């Protein structure tokens, strides 16, 4: 059986789980959340095995964008599963599954090799650069999801509305903590992506920074996050204000990622 | 003579209106005395909690009671500003008044369905009325019955089981904000009972030594410290202590909003915007409501607990219906006995008058009929009793009939027709 068919099955499982979580928002049946989570666990397990086989069979790992997108999706899946069991994130299934679905769909449409045999150290820079970009993408998506959930939950608490699916979300402190950790980790990986990107540029063009717009924007966003993280510690930019700013940065980063990839 | 209730509660008025009517013990005492002196209300009791202010009385009618209350409220220094209260005030008379007190005491009318505090608060109101000597046999019976009904509701239904009280609602909200509460610090402002209750719930989850108590009178805070509620602190250190706190429970009887937005702005800046959960249980409120607009500050007052209570209510609808049935049944029984009681002196007086007339007339006749045998005399005696009994049957039936008696002035008409004077009736 072709591995591609397995990726389709994986996508179908994620989509089925997404449907369960959508229905859970409409129908008050907790069993839908359980089914959704089981679907994600099964899909993640199958995805791990499939990717394992895929890497074993491939001449070069991470030679197509399918690998990278699949990796990001898998990281998100495992993060969601861990958060469910550790921090009771069941109610946030839909928010994780939408980006997972998108990443899997993108993986299936980007299967062509992106780099033919390029010489070392160029290949090393590019490989590290792309790995760190996709890793940071997954981590930043976790940060983005937790930021959105925080803002929704906080709005409800402020408005004294405690019912509905929002009441099943973890506490504000937990959401804030996960957001902070995700942004911090994402920032570190993103820093590595910028450094390796600059290295790649230096080898390729002789300059660390070229006139490429995405490089400039990446540096601006890196500074933006450095300021946010610094002010969180020093000036207390936590909670609503910090998360709102950080969410703006995260959306810009994700957009930049897709623009950059094009 | 009717049971009446005039009141304002969390359903009829928002907290900013209720707080204008709030009565502390001294004011409640004063109100009771003044109303009693007005002589329009024969017996009185006033329940004043953060969710309700209700006057229970025995009077000629509910309008009379309402007007009297209005007069006393506004012709004295009871309230600072005049409020057009008609849209907020509710009134009940007789069976509805009885049923209302039973619902209140059994916590069916509470913000938090099934909470136990209200029974104690009603008992306090009863004690206050007793000490002020404004209570009489009618309210005495009514309140004792209300306590009995509350106990029945509690033991025969699940209304108080797993209920979300004010205390547990506070904990629930704190958990929504902070998650784990073990390392959180709690500050209690004031020595009010509800505040104490909330803190006791929080203390079950926070580490010992993390709770601080402040009161304008330090000795009151120290009293709570003795009861292991927390560590008493001087009120002068407020701004210092609140910097450490994560949860502030305020239940001071300050009478005005003494904590404003500017103060909290300063505090939040100094705290580096660390989340702060503030529960304002004071009525009148202790904290300006605009404080809740500040980032990372979550302000809840007693009214805000409504939603939690409503959710709670849905979950225990079955118990609620059972409790309502108990209350309805008990209120009917009590009202029937009240009606009987109400007419009893008139019935007794009427019977006595007719018996007297019968005795006199029979005696007069028998002295003129000396030739009659003892058996004949007994027959005449028996016949006269039967006539009186048959004549009185309809008026007494009317007096015992609840619907007939609910018509205004029925007792008065009966008294007038048969010339029964009040002294005899008493």
């Amino acid at each position: 059986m072709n591995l591609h068919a397995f990726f389709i099955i994986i996508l179908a499982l994620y989509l089925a789980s997404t449907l369960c979580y959508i229905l859970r928002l409409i129908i008050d049946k907790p069993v839908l959340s359980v089914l959704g989570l089981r679907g994600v666990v099964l899909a993640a397990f199958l995805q791990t095995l499939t990717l394992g086989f895929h890497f074993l069979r491939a001449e070069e790992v991470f030679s197509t964008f399918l690998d990278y997108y699949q990796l990001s999706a898998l990281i998100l899946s495992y993060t969601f599963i861990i958060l469910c069991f550790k921090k009771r994130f069941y109610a946030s299934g839909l928010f994780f599954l939408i980006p997972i679905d998108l990443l899997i769909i993108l993986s299936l449409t980007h299967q062509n090799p992106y780099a033919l045999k390029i010489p070392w150290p160029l290949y090393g820079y590019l490989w590290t650069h792309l790995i760190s970009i996709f890793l940071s993408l997954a981590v930043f998506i976790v940060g983005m999801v937790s930021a959105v959930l925080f803002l929704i939950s906080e709005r409800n608490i402020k408005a004294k509305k405690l019912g509905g699916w929002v009441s099943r979300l973890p506490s504000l402190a937990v959401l804030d903590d996960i957001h902070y950790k995700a942004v911090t980790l994402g920032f570190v990986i993103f820093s590595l992506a910028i450094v390796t990107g600059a290295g790649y540029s230096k080898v390729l063009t002789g300059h660390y920074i070229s006139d490429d717009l995405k490089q400039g924007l990446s540096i601006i966003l890196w500074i933006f996050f450095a300021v946010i993280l610094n002010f969180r510690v020093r000036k207390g930019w936590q909670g609503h204000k910090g998360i709102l700013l950080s969410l703006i940065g995260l959306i810009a980063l994700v957009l930049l990622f897709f623009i950059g990839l094009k | 003579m009717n049971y009446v209730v005039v009141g304002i509660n969390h359903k009829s008025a928002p907290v900013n209106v209720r707080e204008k009517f709030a009565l502390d013990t001294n004011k409640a005492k004063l109100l009771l005395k003044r109303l009693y002196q007005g002589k329009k209300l024969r017996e009185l009791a006033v329940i004043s909690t953060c969710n309700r202010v209700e006057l229970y009385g025995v009077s000629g009618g509910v309008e009379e009671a309402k007007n009297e209350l209005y007069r006393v409220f506004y012709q004295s220094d009871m309230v600072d500003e005049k409020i057009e209260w008609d849209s907020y005030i509710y009134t009940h008379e007789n069976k509805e008044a009885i049923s209302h007190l039973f619902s209140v005491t059994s916590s069916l009318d509470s913000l938090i369905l099934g909470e136990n505090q209200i029974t104690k608060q009603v008992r306090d109101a009863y004690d206050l009325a007793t000490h002020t000597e404004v209570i009489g046999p009618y309210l005495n019976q009514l309140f004792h019955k209300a306590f009995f009904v509350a106990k029945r509701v509690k033991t025969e239904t699940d209304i108080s089981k797993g209920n979300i009280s004010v205390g547990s609602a506070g904990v629930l909200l704190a958990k929504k904000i902070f998650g784990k509460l073990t390392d959180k610090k709690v500050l209690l402002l004031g020595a009010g009972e509800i505040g104490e209750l909330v803190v006791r719930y929080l203390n079950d989850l926070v580490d010992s030594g993390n709770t601080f108590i402040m009161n304008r009178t330090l000795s009151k805070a120290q009293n709570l410290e003795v009861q292991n509620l927390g560590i008493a602190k001087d009120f002068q250190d407020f701004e210092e202590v609140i910097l450490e706190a994560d949860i502030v429970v305020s239940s001071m009887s300050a009478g005005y909003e003494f904590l404003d937005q500017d103060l909290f702005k300063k505090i939040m800046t100094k705290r580096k915007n660390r989340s702060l959960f503030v529960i304002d249980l004071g009525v009148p409120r202790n904290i300006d409501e605009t404080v809740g607009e500040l980032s990372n500050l979550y302000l809840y007052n007693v009214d805000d607990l409504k939603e939690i209570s409503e959710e709670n209510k849905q979950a225990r609808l079955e118990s609620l219906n059972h409790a309502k049935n108990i209350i309805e049944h008990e209120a009917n029984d009590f009202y029937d006995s009240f009606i009987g009681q109400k007419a009893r002196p008139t019935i007794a007086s009427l019977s006595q008058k007719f018996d007297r007339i019968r005795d006199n007339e029979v005696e007069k006749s028998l002295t003129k009929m000396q030739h009659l045998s003892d058996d004949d005399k007994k027959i005449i005696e028996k016949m006269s009793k039967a006539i009186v009994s048959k004549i009185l049957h309809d008026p007494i039936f009317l007096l015992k009939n609840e619907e007939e008696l609910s018509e205004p002035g029925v007792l008065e008409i009966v008294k007038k027709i048969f010339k029964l004077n009040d002294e005899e009736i008493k």
Side-chain angles (χ1 to χ4, degrees):
Chain A
M1 198 175 173
N2 192 327
L3 277 182
H4 184 77
F6 277 100
F7 286 126
I8 297 288
I9 293 169
I10 291 162
L11 176 63
L13 277 170
Y14 279 126
L15 287 174
S17 298
T18 311
L19 185 66
C20 285
Y21 284 111
I22 291 171
L23 288 173
R24 180 69 180 98
L25 287 181
I26 307 161
I27 310 164
D28 188 25
K29 296 267 183 209
V31 71
L32 288 166
S33 286
V34 177
L35 283 175
L37 182 60
R38 283 183 185 168
V40 176
V41 172
L42 185 63
F45 178 68
L46 195 60
Q47 196 181 2
T48 313
L49 288 181
T50 311
L51 271 180
F53 276 117
H54 172 65
F55 287 149
L56 282 173
R57 277 177 24 170
E59 284 178 27
E60 276 183 68
V61 290
F62 293 108
S63 59
T64 69
F65 280 114
L66 177 137
D67 303 357
Y68 290 103
Y69 280 120
Q70 285 284 339
L71 179 74
S72 295
L74 194 61
I75 289 169
L76 271 179
S77 295
Y78 279 119
T79 310
F80 173 61
I81 293 165
I82 291 165
L83 287 175
C84 272
F85 288 110
K86 291 249 178 195
K87 305 280 182 185
R88 307 181 64 81
F89 259 68
Y90 310 105
S92 61
L94 192 60
F95 292 83
F96 278 90
L97 276 161
I98 289 172
I100 291 172
D101 293 340
L102 284 173
L103 289 169
I104 302 271
I105 291 167
L106 284 169
S107 78
L108 296 174
T109 54
H110 289 77
Q111 295 189 46
N112 296 329
Y114 66 87
L116 298 169
K117 300 278 178 190
I118 51 172
W120 191 265
L122 210 53
Y123 181 78
Y125 277 125
L126 188 60
W127 194 85
T128 322
H129 178 66
L130 283 171
I131 287 272
S132 48
I133 283 279
F134 277 86
L135 277 178
S136 67
L137 173 73
V139 178
F140 278 137
I141 287 175
V142 173
M144 209 162 89
V145 169
S146 52
V148 171
L149 293 175
F150 178 95
L151 293 173
I152 294 172
S153 186
E154 202 222 16
R155 197 195 59 181
N156 275 28
I157 290 175
K158 280 258 186 197
K160 281 105 187 185
K161 288 178 189 162
L162 299 177
W165 69 272
V166 183
S167 65
R168 299 195 299 272
L169 287 175
S171 67
L172 292 182
V174 167
L175 291 170
D176 185 42
D177 183 51
I178 287 166
H179 168 80
Y180 175 61
K181 283 176 179 160
V183 171
T184 311
L185 180 64
F187 177 75
V188 172
I189 304 170
F190 186 55
S191 305
L192 181 67
I194 285 179
V195 170
T196 49
Y200 180 76
S201 174
K202 172 78 177 159
V203 175
L204 203 64
T205 64
H207 303 285
Y208 285 111
I209 298 173
S210 65
D211 54 0
D212 187 357
L213 182 67
K214 73 171 184 288
Q215 276 192 9
L217 286 173
S218 299
I219 290 165
I220 290 170
L221 281 170
W222 185 88
I223 295 167
F224 179 78
F225 277 105
V227 170
I228 283 182
L229 289 171
N230 188 32
F231 273 41
R232 183 185 160 103
V233 178
R234 286 162 157 262
K235 300 268 181 189
W237 279 19
Q238 51 194 308
H240 183 87
K241 195 195 207 172
I243 284 184
L244 195 64
L245 278 171
S246 156
L247 184 63
I248 295 166
L250 287 169
I251 292 169
L253 251 176
V254 173
L255 286 176
L256 174 70
F257 167 82
F258 286 108
I259 293 165
L261 206 71
K262 257 189 169 178
Chain B
M1 186 184 55
N2 300 287
Y3 280 122
V4 293
V5 55
V6 182
I8 184 170
N9 69 9
H10 59 95
K11 290 178 192 162
S12 72
V15 67
N16 59 334
V17 174
R18 286 200 320 270
E19 63 193 11
K20 301 220 162 53
F21 290 92
L23 301 166
D24 58 21
T25 312
N26 291 334
K27 273 191 177 177
K29 219 177 204 175
L30 193 65
L31 178 73
L32 288 174
K33 277 183 182 167
R34 286 184 180 168
L35 283 168
Y36 197 67
Q37 281 158 6
K39 292 191 175 170
K40 299 272 182 188
L41 288 135
R42 280 176 56 182
E43 296 182 25
L44 287 159
V46 65
I47 300 173
S48 178
T49 71
C50 48
N51 292 323
R52 70 185 67 244
V53 179
E54 286 177 344
L55 173 78
Y56 288 84
V58 175
S59 81
V62 77
E63 276 308 310
E64 192 179 58
K66 193 175 155 184
N67 293 338
E68 183 64 359
L69 183 63
Y70 192 84
R71 184 186 69 78
V72 171
F73 241 113
Y74 291 125
Q75 283 181 3
S76 59
D77 49 0
M78 286 284 165
V79 282
D80 299 331
E81 68 177 284
K82 284 198 176 186
I83 301 165
E84 212 33 71
W85 71 358
D86 277 347
S87 51
Y88 304 116
I89 290 277
Y90 51 84
T91 56
H92 300 297
E93 200 171 19
N94 288 327
K95 199 193 278 184
E96 283 72 34
I98 294 165
S99 183
H100 182 75
L101 178 65
F102 290 179
S103 294
V104 169
T105 317
S106 307
S107 180
L108 260 67
D109 198 50
S110 290
L111 192 64
I112 308 290
L113 183 73
E115 54 125 339
N116 296 320
Q117 270 173 284
I118 186 69
T119 314
K120 193 185 171 298
Q121 286 165 333
V122 175
R123 199 172 282 281
D124 290 344
Y126 169 74
D127 288 344
L128 184 73
T130 310
H131 286 127
T132 322
E133 296 177 346
V134 293
I135 213 163
Y138 288 104
L139 279 189
N140 241 322
Q141 277 182 37
L142 179 65
F143 274 82
H144 279 113
K145 188 70 177 182
F147 300 135
F148 167 78
V149 173
K151 198 171 180 183
R152 236 194 106 185
V153 167
K154 198 180 169 186
T155 49
E156 290 181 27
T157 72
D158 288 341
I159 208 98
S160 299
K161 284 179 192 161
N163 69 315
I164 299 179
S165 66
V166 175
S168 45
V171 171
L172 184 84
L173 287 163
K175 278 183 173 175
K176 277 202 171 297
I177 295 164
F178 299 111
K180 278 184 185 171
L181 298 178
T182 42
D183 59 340
K184 299 298 163 215
K185 291 199 167 118
V186 180
L187 169 62
L188 170 64
L189 294 174
E193 272 179 44
I194 312 178
E196 185 189 330
L197 184 86
V198 174
V199 172
R200 286 207 187 277
Y201 272 92
L202 288 166
N203 275 358
D204 286 343
L205 297 171
V206 302
D207 287 339
S208 59
N210 276 1
T211 304
F212 307 103
I213 313 155
M214 283 185 161
N215 196 56
R216 286 193 196 279
T217 317
L218 183 62
S219 60
K220 283 189 181 173
Q222 284 166 337
N223 281 345
L224 292 174
E225 183 177 345
V226 172
Q227 294 169 37
N228 287 328
L229 192 72
I231 301 158
K233 293 265 180 184
D234 198 319
F235 201 79
Q236 285 178 337
D237 301 332
F238 169 70
E239 287 191 32
E240 195 182 301
V241 177
I242 202 169
L243 293 182
E244 295 294 314
D246 300 288
I247 303 163
V248 177
V249 181
S250 182
S251 65
M252 295 190 82
S253 49
Y256 63 99
E257 292 165 353
F258 70 100
L259 299 171
D260 60 14
Q261 202 190 46
D262 287 341
L263 175 73
F264 273 98
K265 255 185 197 166
K266 256 194 327 188
I267 289 166
M268 289 307 280
T269 311
K270 281 186 189 169
R271 290 167 60 87
K272 286 192 176 174
N273 250 351
R274 206 158 40 82
S275 294
L276 183 63
F277 175 36
V278 183
I279 310 172
D280 182 2
L281 296 171
V283 175
R285 283 171 295 177
N286 300 160
I287 300 160
D288 176 8
E289 65 183 341
T290 58
V291 166
E293 292 163 11
L294 296 176
S295 188
N296 293 352
L297 192 148
Y298 308 96
L299 173 68
Y300 275 72
N301 63 35
V302 275
D303 270 10
D304 299 330
L305 303 175
K306 249 180 196 169
E307 198 161 340
I308 305 165
S309 171
E310 282 305 313
E311 283 171 29
N312 190 31
K313 222 177 249 181
Q314 285 301 319
R316 285 178 293 128
L317 201 61
E318 214 171 289
S319 293
L320 182 68
N321 288 335
H322 187 189
K324 276 182 179 168
N325 286 339
I326 292 174
I327 285 175
E328 196 186 336
H329 177 75
E330 292 286 357
N332 282 338
D333 274 4
F334 187 85
Y335 186 61
D336 287 346
S337 89
F338 166 65
I339 287 293
Q341 218 177 54
K342 194 170 155 184
R344 200 172 295 145
T346 311
I347 293 169
S349 170
L350 193 64
S351 302
Q352 278 164 15
K353 184 164 187 174
F354 272 68
D355 276 344
R356 234 177 11 246
I357 295 168
R358 186 194 62 80
D359 276 350
N360 290 340
E361 293 307 313
V362 167
E363 206 181 322
K364 261 195 253 171
S365 303
L366 289 181
T367 23
K368 287 175 191 168
M369 294 188 281
Q370 292 294 338
H371 61 280
L372 291 178
S373 67
D374 283 352
D375 283 349
D376 292 338
K377 283 178 185 171
K378 274 181 188 167
I379 289 170
I380 287 173
E381 184 100 6
K382 210 173 174 182
M383 182 191 67
S384 67
K385 279 185 181 172
I387 291 169
V388 167
S389 162
K390 288 204 168 157
I391 290 170
L392 284 180
H393 177 268
D394 285 343
I396 288 176
F397 181 78
L398 180 141
L399 289 175
K400 283 184 174 173
N401 187 300
E402 171 195 329
E403 281 176 26
E404 296 287 353
L405 206 64
S406 61
E407 292 292 322
V410 169
L411 274 178
E412 299 307 316
I413 292 168
V414 171
K415 283 183 211 168
K416 263 189 188 167
I417 289 173
F418 295 104
K419 287 193 175 169
L420 305 172
N421 70 51
D422 282 341
E423 284 310 306
E424 276 177 346
I425 291 170
K426 277 179 186 171

